[in-house]
Amino acid sequence: LQVDLWQPSSPLHIGRGTVTDVRVPQNTSQRLLPCLQQANIPYTILIPDLQKAIENQTGQRPPRSRRSLSAYNYEVYHSLEEIESWMHHLNKTHPELVHMFSVGKSYEGRPLFVLKVGRRSRPYKQAVWMDCGIHAREWIGPAFCQWFVREALQTYETDPDMRKMLTQLYFYVMPVFNVDGYHFSWTNDRFWRKTRSKNSRFRCHGVDANRNWKVKWCDEGASLHPCDDTYCGPFPESEPEVRAVAQFLRRQRRQLRAYLSFHAYAQLLLYPYSYKYATIPNVGCVESAASKAVQALQSAYGVRYRHGPASSTLYVSSGSSMDWAYKTGIPYAFAFELRDTGHFGFLLPETLIGPTCTETMLAVRNITLHLLQRCP
Amino acid sequence: AAMELPPDLFPATRAAALAAAFACYRRGGPGRGLALRGVTRAGRQDIDDVGRKYHLELVLEDVLDKDSTINCTAEVLYHLGNKPMAPDVQFTLEGELKDTDEADKRFYNRVKSLEKELVAENIPDSHGHVSPEMEPIHLLAWAASGYVIWQNSTENTKFQLAQIKCVKQVKRSDEYLEFDYLILLHEMVSQEIIPWQMTVLWHPQHGVQVTGDSHQPQHTPQ
């Protein structure tokens, strides 16, 4: 007997006494209701005919803004221009929850946009930073950042957890960190990874934006050769994108409770350190947050993520944004490597955007609530 | 000296990826792709003057039917020395793989009856799409790339097939199907994308064979 779970967001949250809302087709309900009666589970039918309710609703003309939010297709990959106009649109239509701003300019002169998402409920609020697309070819990243914002805007009124998150925190979401690289991966080379800065001595372009941060810069796991895909750059924060975000995060570091970076692929949830094999001082809370998040993620479709310190779980790398964020004083720093494990790799089909984002959403909500409620 | 390894950390996962690629080469084809689902146990042993041997218990999954998994035990021996040598890999599958005779025969007949040689490029495309007609070509490359991955792996590499850049059928007078592939391999540790050419022979009864392969120079502008 399969049901569409509307509340809570994951079967993991269903326990004794939990109010659970499910949607079932009519023929299934004929089998479900006797089951519930036999099990002595009290129920109420909230909507007897969903189809009719939807038809009635569509009769009223929703304000243009809200309609357009659902007209954007979150299950296809969008070009940089499309993502930027999407951000502008949300900024205009959801002023109570969204504020769009720029932290600087890319090497090729493009603005570096960030969305500040949350309710202006109190003067001082803590914040969570999320960035996607540090590496150009990891398209599922920007897709997830957009999905997250959509979910936040669509569910904060009806979902108590989301309401809590947006009331107690701001989310700084940067849907595309490496704008030049992302654009290049659409127009020239689908497998481009780095930024697009020009190198004075070699004919190769670009720096690995996740090796350019000022934390054990260019030690193990990064390359000094400009033509390599893990090139650390001529010096730390040489890339304007990295410098702009680093400046912003440094200024906001007292407010920032968590740093989340979204990459692909490998199905991992990682925490520091990447540059050495050592245990972070607050490993207790970090490890339990990661472990629970991975379980929550798995509850959606059964997809297994491994988790642990980046150095031993994935590989040693130096100059990463996650290590830098942690060193700068943001106590909870994580990096996701989203689907899959190599069958499609970077070329994750659009049909898998929905499932990937849905399960990742559970992990992000879980981490956020865990940090709010159970961590110092 | 033999020691147990954490199955989730990278020395074990790299050896496992290699074993899975090898198994895919040996048992894969246009109708079947095998991928690594996970590692259940791993052990490692240094053998003096020879190299490092990994003992692995893995779970493989059928790429076409994710719910279908098969347990596998494997041994991977990385050789010592300066001369690059392909690792030795042995594996045993516990159980039977799904029969692909029907699908194989259909693909074989379809290609044999083509008037013009099959030609295709960018599989999957930028958005991850693979047309149903190209799925067997994709799976055949997946199996054949297992050979290239096996031949070129070390303890510091983890390869995956990233994309088929282009594939051209080479008509033959005998019963075999021959394809000339240009593939892109993704090497996880260095994060490099490596173009590679491979000549692939296939026959429903004789399996996959890579009869020639070569590392290609970077052809896209840097």
Side-chain angles (χ1 to χ4, degrees):
Chain A
L1 204 67
Q2 277 206 337
V3 303
D4 177 12
L5 184 66
W6 279 22
Q7 184 182 210
S9 55
S10 156
L12 272 186
H13 296 149
I14 300 178
R16 216 185 206 104
T18 311
V19 172
T20 306
D21 296 345
V22 299
R23 176 197 64 83
V24 290
Q26 185 164 47
N27 47 17
T28 309
S29 75
Q30 286 162 9
R31 287 150 58 210
L32 178 65
L33 298 187
C35 263
L36 296 177
Q37 283 159 13
Q38 260 195 344
N40 260 325
I41 299 175
Y43 63 87
T44 325
I45 297 178
L46 297 174
I47 303 174
D49 184 338
L50 183 61
Q51 182 62 34
K52 201 183 287 170
I54 292 174
E55 283 166 11
N56 286 345
Q57 188 179 65
T58 349
Q60 309 153 9
R61 300 202 111 269
R64 202 140 174 254
S65 52
R66 312 286 162 162
R67 224 197 308 144
S68 304
L69 183 66
S70 34
Y72 189 79
N73 189 346
Y74 289 85
E75 300 192 36
V76 295
Y77 295 115
H78 288 280
S79 67
L80 185 63
E81 293 71 32
E82 287 169 355
I83 297 176
E84 281 180 5
S85 57
W86 167 82
M87 284 193 271
H88 280 293
H89 181 80
L90 291 186
N91 189 42
K92 225 187 314 163
T93 56
H94 293 76
E96 77 288 359
L97 278 178
V98 176
H99 170 63
M100 176 181 182
F101 63 99
S102 162
V103 290
K105 280 201 147 58
S106 72
Y107 182 85
E108 291 178 344
R110 297 186 172 89
L112 300 170
F113 289 126
V114 176
L115 296 174
K116 180 178 184 181
V117 184
R119 294 183 65 222
R120 246 150 277 151
S121 47
R122 49 188 96 145
Y124 178 80
K125 279 174 63 172
Q126 290 203 301
V128 171
W129 168 276
M130 288 172 46
D131 62 55
C132 298
I134 281 184
H135 293 132
R137 59 194 180 201
E138 299 165 14
W139 287 11
I140 186 63
F144 174 71
C145 267
Q146 294 168 74
W147 187 284
F148 174 86
V149 174
R150 190 269 300 261
E151 280 294 296
L153 299 183
Q154 246 181 16
T155 68
Y156 94 101
E157 265 171 349
T158 51
D159 183 325
D161 283 342
M162 185 58 81
R163 193 174 189 80
K164 187 184 298 182
M165 283 161 54
L166 294 183
T167 304
Q168 296 188 22
L169 298 164
Y170 281 119
F171 285 85
Y172 291 109
V173 182
M174 189 172 192
V176 186
F177 182 105
N178 180 3
V179 289
D180 297 347
Y182 187 74
H183 184 259
F184 193 76
S185 73
W186 273 74
T187 56
N188 288 70
D189 181 356
R190 177 61 179 85
F191 292 103
W192 191 257
R193 169 181 167 89
K194 303 185 286 183
T195 61
R196 288 296 300 166
S197 51
K198 291 203 224 330
N199 185 274
S200 47
R201 279 156 51 233
F202 288 80
R203 275 184 316 127
C204 298
H205 291 228
V207 167
D208 186 336
N210 209 25
R211 301 286 186 279
N212 190 238
W213 299 74
K214 200 168 181 182
V215 55
K216 212 64 163 31
W217 175 80
C218 223
D219 200 61
E220 232 192 295
S223 171
L224 276 165
H225 199 293
C227 295
D228 285 351
D229 259 330
T230 54
Y231 176 47
C232 55
F235 53 88
E237 294 182 22
S238 61
E239 301 312 280
E241 300 84 353
V242 173
R243 186 169 59 250
V245 172
Q247 259 165 211
F248 178 79
L249 295 177
R250 260 190 293 262
R251 262 189 250 122
Q252 303 294 325
R253 72 181 179 284
R254 261 162 257 118
Q255 265 180 51
L256 285 166
R257 194 149 170 72
Y259 171 88
L260 305 178
S261 193
F262 293 87
H263 296 256
Y265 58 89
Q267 291 176 200
L268 303 171
L269 174 48
L270 305 171
Y271 51 82
Y273 299 104
S274 315
Y275 71 87
K276 63 177 175 180
Y277 299 114
T279 313
I280 47 176
N282 60 340
V283 66
C285 224
V286 170
E287 162 62 35
S288 64
S291 165
K292 295 223 171 70
V294 152
Q295 272 182 302
L297 188 151
Q298 189 176 343
S299 76
Y301 303 98
V303 172
R304 279 203 205 115
Y305 271 53
R306 292 180 288 128
H307 70 284
S311 51
S312 47
T313 313
L314 179 59
Y315 45 56
V316 169
S317 71
S318 52
S320 74
S321 67
M322 177 181 74
D323 281 354
W324 180 88
Y326 187 72
K327 183 189 92 159
T328 302
I330 300 169
Y332 302 104
F334 297 94
F336 281 79
E337 291 279 356
L338 300 177
R339 285 205 206 181
D340 60 9
T341 52
H343 184 68
F344 286 101
F346 300 117
L347 307 180
L348 194 71
E350 289 174 316
T351 46
L352 293 183
I353 293 178
T356 304
C357 290
T358 302
E359 69 195 9
T360 308
M361 209 48 217
L362 296 180
V364 173
R365 291 164 58 111
N366 191 283
I367 285 185
T368 308
L369 293 167
H370 191 264
L371 296 183
L372 273 179
Q373 293 160 352
R374 291 191 208 298
C375 291
Chain B
M3 58 184 254
E4 192 86 4
L5 288 178
D8 268 359
L9 304 186
F10 71 67
T13 53
R14 285 178 199 170
L18 166 56
F22 183 79
C24 197
Y25 171 58
R26 282 279 185 253
R27 308 297 290 270
R32 181 196 293 135
L34 295 173
L36 178 66
R37 171 71 80 89
V39 186
T40 19
R41 268 189 88 178
R44 183 171 67 191
Q45 189 185 2
D46 282 311
I47 304 176
D48 287 336
D49 298 325
V50 177
R52 229 174 203 180
K53 189 185 259 199
Y54 287 78
H55 300 266
L56 305 161
E57 283 171 34
L58 322 165
V59 181
L60 300 177
E61 69 185 16
D62 183 335
V63 148
L64 294 174
D65 173 13
K66 293 292 178 67
D67 290 328
S68 169
T69 59
I70 188 163
N71 291 339
C72 172
T73 49
E75 267 182 17
V76 175
L77 171 62
Y78 295 100
H79 296 276
L80 271 178
N82 304 324
K83 234 179 10 151
M85 254 184 91
D88 291 342
V89 187
Q90 281 176 36
F91 73 97
T92 323
L93 297 180
E94 291 167 26
E96 294 291 310
L97 290 169
K98 225 189 302 193
D99 200 297
T100 59
D101 285 350
E102 279 280 326
D104 286 349
K105 217 183 307 170
R106 249 181 286 130
F107 172 69
Y108 183 80
N109 291 332
R110 186 188 122 213
V111 176
K112 268 292 183 192
S113 62
L114 289 173
E115 281 199 12
K116 278 178 64 194
E117 287 89 342
L118 186 153
V119 172
E121 47 180 34
N122 292 336
I123 300 169
D125 70 14
S126 283
H127 293 232
H129 303 139
V130 179
S131 68
E133 312 85 68
M134 286 302 136
E135 188 61 55
I137 294 284
H138 185 214
L139 291 175
L140 181 59
W142 183 248
S145 67
Y147 172 83
V148 177
I149 292 172
W150 164 43
Q151 291 290 307
N152 292 280
S153 287
T154 69
E155 279 176 287
N156 300 314
T157 62
K158 190 155 183 258
F159 289 99
Q160 293 286 346
L161 172 65
Q163 190 186 44
I164 300 167
K165 218 46 209 150
C166 72
V167 55
K168 284 198 249 315
Q169 179 193 0
V170 179
K171 280 239 168 157
R172 289 175 71 97
S173 48
D174 65 15
E175 42 171 17
Y176 283 85
L177 295 185
E178 180 177 333
F179 298 93
D180 187 8
Y181 280 94
L182 176 61
I183 58 172
L184 297 178
L185 290 173
H186 172 229
E187 202 289 290
M188 187 70 92
V189 181
S190 63
Q191 288 294 337
E192 297 293 334
I193 298 286
I194 307 168
W196 211 283
Q197 177 275 335
M198 52 183 198
T199 308
V200 182
L201 250 52
W202 178 73
H203 184 279
Q205 264 83 60
H206 304 312
V208 181
Q209 247 185 293
V210 175
T211 54
D213 70 281
S214 61
H215 183 162
Q216 297 296 297
Q218 260 310 340
H219 60 283
T220 38
Q222 282 282 314

